[in-house]
Amino acid sequence: MIKEIALSLFSVVFMLSCTEKKEAERKAFAENEFKEWAQTPPMGWNSWDCYGPTVEEHEVRANADYMAEHLLKYGWEYIVVDIRWYVENDKAGGYNQTDPHYVLDAYGRYQPAVNRFPSAKGGKGFKELADYVHQKGLKFGIHIMRGIPKEAVAQKRPIKGTDGITADQIYSKENLCQWLSDNYTVDTSKPGAQEYYNSIINMYADWGVDFIKVDDLSAPFYHKDEIEMIRYAIDHCGRPIVFSTSPGETPVEEAEHVRNHANMWRMVNDVWDVWGDVEHLLSVCQKWYPYIAPGTWPDCDMIPLGRISIRGERGEDRMTRLTKDEQYSLMTLFTIFRSPLMFGGDLPSCDDFTLSLLTNEEVLKMHKKSVDTRMLYYDTEKVVITSRHPQTGAIYLALFNTSDDKELSVGADLKQLGIEGPVEVVDLWTGQNLGKVSDKIERELKPHASILCKISSNLDEVTN
């Protein structure tokens, strides 16, 4: 018995020693080094539009398999498990806020629900699932809510990395999330607050997380202090983790702050498969063009195309309700604006048309490489956006008819684009050469339709 106790104590001491060594060896990144981790807009898949808060491991793996086989070569690489992966009994069509069964560890940190993520058994968290995704050549991400679990506070769970501070000593009831009641606010003035964020981010780093979407940071309250704590924790966790803030209309007054702390930030609430959401995005984008930059990206939200809402928050299992014209318009806006691209549909259910929207090499080249994105024109029925290729000098031009019931002529003078004719014009979605233009590019567009063009002088290769 004494020998068994001694061996047990030795094991505990050894594990603590290894943990302390690991914490001491974590690399601290330089200030603003995080911007190097997303030099082009992140591209991936997120489980929310398909599965709401109910996604299961086999579904995540199936989408990773599809991405690795069909999309990785086009630049798609992130697989992101969205909200409430730590609840055993959540539901489709909303959230179970009546009797949620949370899974927490001894330090009050959420853990994957094993009944939904079997590889998490034995306290392994998302390590095995992340390893599976990494073996496919992809990157792994998760969603979390801002703050500290109410259950951890009620049970006075200890905060890892502190000398006896417990969860009930660092929480606040101020500015709580208005639509989900899982967490309290972290009172950033309290000892142990930074250590709490350090502890969860370090755990995610140990799991192999490459991307973290943190919810309820931006609206209706911009939680500057918690954003700064998350930035600090990531910068000291030893692993590059892309940081996305969500959701809601991030105040443009906080543009400098958010771009110095996050890799991407939401401009709007959730975008669904209705034209009004696309039209709203076109309006909101007006104030964010100056802040599009390598490493820091205004975010148009997820792409609600293909098969969505299998067990989603909104509506029944369906193919997107957007018409093909509207789908082209959505993808044209997302790509010319250089938004991060997080596809929301179920990838294994992709039809040929949806796949064509995700694998157009010329469009994705524009999304990845273009510069100087700006809006030339905006009114209630017409929008014109442009950018350029930094090496070839080719000009990209997106024309939108946002009218609900009128076919309209939408165009731009070459002088507005800073070029002189004659020029060659190519439709990027179809690859069709539209011929030479000398003074103005103009097209008749149906309601909610658009066209995305590349304009090249005679000295350029049209296909560059």
Side-chain angles (χ1 to χ4, degrees), residues 51-87:
Y51 301 106
T54 72
V55 70
E56 298 177 3
E57 182 167 351
H58 67 95
E59 293 159 333
V60 177
R61 289 179 182 243
N63 278 273
D65 293 345
Y66 185 97
M67 181 177 287
E69 182 177 354
H70 299 284
L71 297 175
L72 177 59
K73 62 185 176 182
Y74 295 97
W76 299 85
E77 59 178 348
Y78 288 97
I79 295 290
V80 182
V81 176
D82 209 88
I83 196 166
R84 271 190 146 197
W85 38 265
Y86 45 81
V87 176

Side-chain angles (χ1 to χ4, degrees), residues 391-409:
Q391 279 81 47
T392 68
I395 300 295
Y396 299 109
L397 182 68
L399 309 175
F400 300 85
N401 175 3
T402 60
S403 167
D404 291 331
D405 52 14
K406 289 183 288 188
E407 186 169 310
L408 295 172
S409 179

Side-chain angles (χ1 to χ4, degrees), residues 156-401:
K156 299 183 179 181
R157 297 282 178 98
I159 304 300
K160 187 173 184 181
T162 69
D163 187 14
I165 297 174
T166 51
D168 58 300
Q169 296 174 289
I170 69 166
Y171 83 102
S172 168
K173 293 184 179 180
E174 295 295 317
N175 297 334
L176 299 184
C177 180
Q178 297 181 355
W179 47 269
L180 191 62
S181 58
D182 294 346
N183 290 3
Y184 288 121
T185 295
V186 171
D187 185 340
T188 57
S189 70
K190 296 292 182 66
Q194 182 65 63
E195 287 80 2
Y196 168 71
Y197 272 118
N198 292 350
S199 75
I200 62 170
I201 300 298
N202 287 346
M203 179 177 66
Y204 304 152
D206 293 342
W207 289 349
V209 170
D210 306 294
F211 179 101
I212 182 171
K213 172 184 172 183
V214 188
D215 216 326
D216 195 46
L217 280 175
S218 302
F221 309 101
Y222 184 76
H223 294 274
K224 182 178 293 188
D225 291 348
E226 286 191 75
I227 289 172
E228 291 175 2
M229 283 196 165
I230 294 166
R231 173 77 271 143
Y232 180 91
I234 293 173
D235 284 347
H236 291 80
C237 78
R239 183 179 183 84
I241 299 177
V242 169
F243 175 24
S244 167
T245 74
S246 180
E249 299 196 7
T250 300
V252 73
E253 296 80 14
E254 299 292 352
E256 289 302 323
H257 184 267
V258 74
R259 75 191 302 196
N260 283 312
H261 290 85
N263 295 105
M264 48 191 274
W265 57 90
R266 285 274 291 279
M267 299 183 294
V268 294
N269 288 321
D270 290 359
V271 170
W272 281 101
D273 53 332
V274 292
W275 175 252
D277 287 357
V278 181
E279 196 167 24
H280 179 59
L281 263 176
L282 282 162
S283 175
V284 171
C285 284
Q286 293 181 77
K287 58 191 177 185
W288 287 109
Y289 289 96
Y291 301 102
I292 301 169
T296 56
W297 308 102
D299 179 13
C300 288
D301 192 29
M302 283 167 282
I303 299 170
L305 303 185
R307 184 186 178 193
I308 59 175
S309 208
I310 294 171
R311 294 192 306 280
E313 181 213 24
R314 216 166 293 186
E316 300 299 319
D317 185 349
R318 64 185 182 274
M319 295 300 288
T320 185
R321 294 171 294 194
L322 295 173
T323 67
K324 285 190 176 181
D325 279 343
E326 291 169 343
Q327 292 180 61
Y328 276 124
S329 292
L330 182 147
M331 288 299 295
T332 294
L333 171 61
F334 276 56
T335 53
I336 197 167
F337 187 78
R338 304 194 74 197
S339 170
L341 303 181
M342 291 291 166
F343 185 70
D346 181 58
L347 288 175
S349 304
C350 265
D351 60 353
D352 289 343
F353 177 72
T354 303
L355 187 60
S356 74
L357 296 174
L358 307 181
T359 57
N360 184 302
E361 293 187 65
E362 286 298 312
V363 173
L364 292 176
K365 184 187 297 183
M366 174 196 69
H367 175 253
K368 182 177 182 178
K369 294 185 177 181
S370 61
V371 296
D372 297 338
T373 306
R374 58 195 175 98
M375 184 181 66
L376 286 184
Y377 185 79
Y378 178 94
D379 70 13
T380 56
E381 296 183 327
K382 300 178 184 180
V383 179
V384 180
I385 304 169
T386 186
S387 63
R388 66 178 177 86
H389 192 292
Q391 279 81 47
T392 68
I395 300 295
Y396 299 109
L397 182 68
L399 309 175
F400 300 85
N401 175 3

